[in-house]
Amino acid sequence: MIANLSPGLILILGGLLVPLVHGRARQVFMLALPVLGGLQLIGLEHGLHGQIGIFDYTLTFARVDKLSLIFGAIFLIASFYNTIYSLHENDVMEQVAAPVYAGAAIGAVFAGDLISLFIFWELTAISSVFLIWSRRTAKATSVGLRYLVIQVGSGVILLAGVILYANKTGSIAFNHIGLNDLASWLILIAFGIKAAFPFLHNWLQDAYPEATVTGTVVLSAFKTKLAVYALARGFPGTEMLIYVGIVMTAFPVFFAVIENDMRRVLAYSLNNQVGFMVAAIGVGTPLALNGAAAHAFVHIIYKSLLFMSMGAVLYRVGTIKASELGGLYRSMPITTVFCIIGAASISAFPLFSGFVAKSLELSAMAEEGYVFAWVVLVFASAGVLHHSGIKIPYFAFFAHDSGLRCKEAPPNMLIAMAIPAFLCIAIGVYPEPLYALLPFPVNYEPYTTSHVLSQLQLVLFSCLAFAVLWRTRVYPPEMRSTNLNTDWVYRKALPALVVWLMRVGSEVRRGALFRAQTRLDRFIMQVYRHHGPGGIMARTWLTGNSVLWVALLLGGYLLIYFLRRA
Amino acid sequence: MSDSQHQPDRQSSKPWFYRRAVIDSIFWGLVGLCAVLGLADLVYHRHTLFSFESFPGIYGIFGFISCVFIVFAGIGLRKLVMRDEDYYDR
């Protein structure tokens, strides 16, 4: 191991070498990458390492502190079980893209300056699009292009912000930025696109469900949480983020309820969960930032688990539409259990990981007196239980028996799901090791009677509401459909506007051409009238007439000459 | 759940989750559990940060109403945003 090398570089360089290894050795090599990265991470010493001077600036490739370590650690853990999950695949494009993408995210987390952050930021965009294109469908190709434009756009905005920031401050160090000028706004918007802020969010629901079975699992782990890290580093305590965060938590729940594609439901749920973290970063107290980091950590685990279970269903059944699923608990009992563990965790049931992490955020919000924001977060907690906690497992594995019968998920998928499932329960039951990893010292006890009682009431009454609505057939049936969202603007409205402008432009051009043609015709007719065979200019002129004209011209010339001289 | 209610003679041949007795047990078990949790607030005084939290069963009431609201709002939202599955492919 090279002392204090960023673990991200191990995954990036290793990922690029994957095509050179074949067969079983490739699988071992791919599994070894996150393990080596993990060993490297354990050996890292706090401080700034891997510094390179370029012009007047210093790039720092390994800034090691508790904030970068916890995000780096969970990214490596996710990369490890994601690799196991995809061992049955033999698509070299995906096998290269997955570790490079994970490595880029880890590299960005350890980047101590804004330039190297930008480099890794763009690398996450470029590497991850191949996880979508690996599906090799026309739809995936166009979705991937849309995704790439937005992600690279985020990087370009970041670069513009960094240049302005460096000009103003004379430094590129990536520390607290705060929201105070155009540079910081640009950087915040770049982070916001990746975090899927409201109205900047729809790339997430557009792209993630269109990736491959394994690609979606990989995609879900890194990008938005990298943005959460970047916000926690650059904009803690920016009050506006509280309100951005609560909107993020609340509005996706309505779309998730009516969404038919289960992986898209999870994408909405991802949006909702990141909202909790953004809101907590907006509060900015040590307890709140601990909450955001803890939530990101456990969220990656249970969200991977949920995406994995839905990926296993898609892999076995060939569809992930709720309207066509149901009753799969008989065919895929182990996957069902894993999915329920993920669902219980995201719903923050006591003894599951979501409970011990989300509690930190809600307590921080309440302690700082943000009553309205706190109420919205509690509402969103009920909402996430509704669509991720109940809808996902219920419609896939229970509900109406769809008649679909299939084999249980492949062994590698089951092993991969077992790891996050174990972590969901282990962290929920014994949160102290997670708390020890958090950026600030923790003095928090999640398992008080009051807290457990409140949370159990919230989740079980929410379950009861679902049961009553389902029993009384009020609950809307799942339907094959497309639900419009902000992507309608650039997928329908803007193209329609362009078509309209082209049509109008074409008509204007045609009209202008017609007018020009008419005038030209008229001019030619005039010329023809005067110079044509019957025109006045075509007549035969007598020599005497010509002499007269010449004399007149000369006379005129002389007169002018005389007047000028006079 | 409720589709099983129309075919009582076939109940025993159905998979366990689709038998009416099982579904009813789960439902009424959930109702009982919620009742116990709601009543627990009457005997145990919870430590709260906001005064409105001390209202008995407030979390349960809030969770129930929130979920019902989300579903009805979702039904309304469908009217506004739902299109055919191939809407973007046309």
Side-chain angles (χ1 to χ4, degrees):
Chain A
M1 289 287 157
I2 303 166
N4 293 320
L5 177 79
S6 168
L9 294 176
I10 295 174
L11 271 78
I12 295 169
L13 297 174
L16 295 173
L17 295 176
V18 163
L20 304 179
V21 193
H22 298 281
R24 185 71 69 185
R26 180 183 286 178
Q27 295 185 334
V28 175
F29 180 70
M30 285 171 57
L31 278 172
L33 291 176
V35 174
L36 289 173
L39 292 172
Q40 179 70 15
L41 181 127
I42 291 166
L44 288 174
E45 295 163 9
H46 282 230
L48 302 176
H49 313 288
Q51 294 189 307
I52 301 168
I54 292 185
F55 304 116
D56 293 336
Y57 297 110
T58 305
L59 305 187
T60 306
F61 284 95
R63 181 247 308 273
V64 185
D65 60 11
K66 291 198 89 173
L67 187 60
S68 55
L69 277 172
I70 187 170
F71 278 87
I74 187 57
F75 283 178
L76 284 162
I77 292 168
S79 178
F80 179 68
Y81 60 64
N82 286 349
T83 308
I84 298 175
Y85 187 76
S86 56
L87 281 180
H88 64 283
E89 293 283 356
N90 200 24
D91 182 338
V92 75
M93 189 203 278
E94 204 173 317
Q95 287 171 334
V96 172
V100 171
Y101 173 45
I106 296 164
V109 158
F110 283 104
D113 67 278
L114 290 162
I115 300 284
S116 50
L117 175 75
F118 163 76
I119 294 167
F120 290 116
W121 196 264
E122 287 293 49
L123 189 56
T124 59
I126 294 161
S127 53
S128 58
V129 75
F130 290 99
L131 298 167
I132 301 167
W133 283 339
S134 294
R135 204 166 181 191
R136 293 185 171 82
T137 59
K139 191 172 185 186
T141 305
S142 55
V143 168
L145 277 172
R146 284 199 294 273
Y147 169 85
L148 189 62
V149 167
I150 292 168
Q151 296 304 316
V152 171
S154 152
V156 172
I157 294 169
L158 175 63
L159 184 62
V162 170
I163 291 167
L164 288 175
Y165 184 79
N167 265 337
K168 188 185 172 199
T169 63
S171 164
I172 55 165
F174 181 29
N175 294 313
H176 183 272
I177 296 170
L179 198 55
N180 40 39
D181 56 8
L182 178 63
S184 54
W185 270 100
L186 288 172
I187 295 172
L188 180 74
I189 290 168
F191 291 174
I193 292 172
K194 277 245 196 309
F197 279 7
F199 303 108
L200 304 174
H201 68 282
N202 210 242
W203 60 267
L204 202 162
Q205 289 87 11
D206 185 26
Y208 282 12
E210 299 304 332
T212 60
V213 166
T214 49
T216 303
V217 177
V218 179
L219 280 171
S220 74
F222 304 111
K223 195 176 295 272
T224 50
K225 267 62 71 182
L226 167 60
V228 166
Y229 162 81
L231 288 168
R233 177 73 72 186
F235 298 95
T238 304
E239 194 174 3
M240 187 193 76
L241 291 179
I242 297 174
Y243 304 104
V244 171
I246 62 171
V247 173
M248 283 174 78
T249 59
F251 90 88
V253 301
F254 302 106
F255 283 89
V257 166
I258 59 172
E259 179 56 53
N260 192 34
D261 184 313
M262 299 293 245
R263 296 201 300 175
R264 192 160 278 121
V265 173
L266 288 176
Y268 279 116
S269 157
L270 203 162
N271 216 186
N272 153 291
Q273 292 287 289
V274 171
F276 279 85
M277 301 167 213
V278 171
I281 291 166
V283 174
T285 59
L287 180 63
L289 293 175
N290 275 344
H295 196 175
F297 192 96
V298 299
H299 166 79
I300 288 173
I301 295 169
Y302 57 63
K303 186 60 73 175
S304 299
L305 181 55
L306 288 167
F307 268 118
M308 282 179 182
S309 63
M310 289 301 104
V313 168
L314 176 60
Y315 181 74
R316 282 301 191 212
V317 181
T319 180
I320 198 62
K321 295 191 164 49
S323 54
E324 290 158 44
L325 296 174
L328 286 173
Y329 79 93
R330 299 175 71 200
S331 300
M332 307 178 81
I334 306 172
T335 305
T336 306
V337 171
F338 287 147
C339 182
I340 290 172
I341 291 171
S345 298
I346 197 170
S347 308
F349 266 89
L351 300 179
F352 290 89
S353 59
F355 178 76
V356 301
K358 221 182 270 181
S359 309
L360 294 165
E361 293 169 324
L362 283 162
S363 298
M365 192 73 77
E367 278 182 11
E368 295 306 304
Y370 292 105
V371 185
F372 175 72
W374 181 86
V375 170
V376 175
L377 291 192
V378 176
F379 165 79
S381 301
V384 77
L385 175 124
H386 194 88
H387 60 74
S388 286
I390 301 172
K391 179 171 174 169
I392 291 289
Y394 188 71
F395 281 89
F397 299 107
F398 301 100
H400 301 287
D401 188 357
S402 61
L404 292 168
R405 299 290 178 264
C406 62
K407 286 202 284 186
E408 180 54 279
N412 67 302
M413 283 189 173
L414 292 177
I415 293 167
M417 285 190 270
I419 297 169
F422 168 77
L423 289 172
C424 281
I425 297 171
I427 294 170
V429 173
Y430 185 55
E432 279 70 19
L434 170 66
Y435 287 172
L437 285 175
L438 297 178
F440 300 98
V442 179
N443 179 24
Y444 187 79
E445 176 48 59
Y447 287 108
T448 62
T449 311
S450 297
H451 190 198
V452 171
L453 193 59
S454 306
Q455 186 64 12
L456 277 177
Q457 271 190 16
L458 185 76
V459 292
L460 289 176
F461 272 83
S462 299
C463 290
L464 183 65
F466 176 84
V468 170
L469 293 171
W470 184 258
R471 239 174 126 81
T472 52
R473 300 192 179 200
V474 172
Y475 197 90
E478 295 307 306
M479 296 162 81
R480 297 181 71 114
S481 58
T482 295
N483 295 313
L484 305 185
N485 207 309
T486 53
D487 59 340
W488 178 83
V489 174
Y490 54 81
R491 292 177 72 183
K492 276 282 179 187
L494 286 179
L497 181 68
V498 169
V499 168
W500 182 79
L501 284 174
M502 282 174 71
R503 194 185 304 143
V504 169
S506 146
E507 275 173 22
V508 168
R509 182 173 158 271
R510 202 181 308 137
L513 276 176
F514 178 75
R515 275 192 296 278
Q517 182 93 36
T518 313
R519 280 181 191 168
L520 189 65
D521 288 351
R522 211 176 291 152
F523 175 71
I524 290 169
M525 283 304 292
Q526 291 268 8
V527 170
Y528 185 80
R529 202 183 308 143
H530 291 115
H531 296 270
I536 190 166
M537 303 300 281
R539 289 181 200 155
T540 310
W541 290 67
L542 293 171
T543 314
N545 283 352
S546 301
V547 171
L548 177 66
W549 280 111
V550 170
L552 280 172
L553 280 171
L554 281 173
Y557 175 76
L558 275 172
L559 186 64
I560 292 165
Y561 182 79
F562 172 77
L563 288 173
R564 283 195 65 184
R565 284 281 168 185
Chain B
M1 272 187 200
S2 45
D3 62 337
S4 59
Q5 293 166 3
H6 304 297
Q7 298 167 328
D9 51 323
R10 293 190 195 163
Q11 289 295 315
S12 56
S13 63
K14 288 193 166 193
W16 70 268
F17 185 78
Y18 299 105
R19 291 178 201 151
R20 194 200 296 171
V22 173
I23 294 164
D24 285 350
S25 312
I26 293 172
F27 179 76
W28 290 111
L30 187 60
V31 171
L33 211 54
C34 288
V36 170
L37 283 167
L39 291 171
D41 271 358
L42 298 175
V43 292
Y44 179 77
H45 178 70
R46 279 187 288 119
H47 300 286
T48 58
L49 280 164
F50 303 120
S51 56
F52 58 81
E53 280 185 275
S54 51
F55 188 84
I58 183 70
Y59 277 89
I61 295 165
F62 187 75
F64 191 93
I65 292 172
S66 296
C67 281
V68 171
F69 171 70
I70 288 165
V71 170
F72 279 99
I75 292 169
L77 188 64
R78 258 192 179 165
K79 289 182 183 142
L80 197 66
V81 301
M82 195 171 86
R83 299 288 183 277
D84 290 339
E85 199 171 34
D86 62 347
Y87 174 76
Y88 284 117
D89 303 324
R90 278 180 273 161

